[in-house]
Amino acid sequence: PRSSDLLGVQAFPEERAVRVALEAPEDGAAIAEAREFVFDGVFPGSSSQEDVFNQVGMPALSECLKGFNSTVLAYGQTGSGKTHSLLHRGRADAGHHDAGLLPRMIGELFDQIVID
């Protein structure tokens, strides 16, 4: 394959993988091999805040409530939306449906405390 066919980053949520390919050096040397990284979860840009909460936040919170430690790591390029996805408070005029992971987890934590 040509280097232009391999450039960039591709997310494969169903495989829980991200594939990264590097650009060939200008001196014509051989292109670096594409690399694949596997994660517990990979979300495309079209994912909603609710999708991330349901697939990451609830399972992590459930384990915490059972006494296990839990960590959520957001990794990505500067400006890709990590802070928004994790910390966004949500817009009151939107009913806070766009709230990020942490506000949703805190809300659910207090809901669970009231139930227990």
Side-chain angles (χ1 to χ4, degrees):
R2 297 182 324 229
S3 64
S4 60
D5 295 334
L6 296 173
L7 289 180
V9 176
Q10 293 177 296
F12 298 89
E14 62 284 346
E15 298 173 26
R16 299 181 329 199
V18 174
R19 292 194 186 101
V20 180
L22 304 174
E23 185 174 2
E26 291 184 20
D27 65 2
I31 187 166
E33 271 186 51
R35 302 276 178 141
E36 181 171 301
F37 301 91
V38 180
F39 301 93
D40 290 337
V42 175
F43 295 92
S46 60
S47 297
S48 69
Q49 298 282 38
E50 185 175 14
D51 293 338
V52 175
F53 174 71
N54 289 333
Q55 294 179 42
V56 174
M58 276 305 295
L61 182 60
S62 294
E63 292 302 305
C64 285
L65 291 171
K66 293 177 191 173
F68 296 98
N69 290 331
S70 185
T71 301
V72 174
L73 173 70
Y75 179 81
Q77 182 176 352
T78 300
S80 63
K82 298 174 299 294
T83 301
H84 176 82
S85 295
L86 291 176
L87 303 177
H88 182 61
R89 293 181 184 175
R91 294 188 327 266
D93 63 334
H96 298 283
H97 294 295
D98 60 339
L101 188 61
L102 187 58
R104 288 173 187 263
M105 290 178 74
I106 291 170
E108 184 64 26
L109 174 64
F110 283 102
D111 289 348
Q112 292 299 317
I113 291 170
V114 169
I115 291 170
D116 287 344

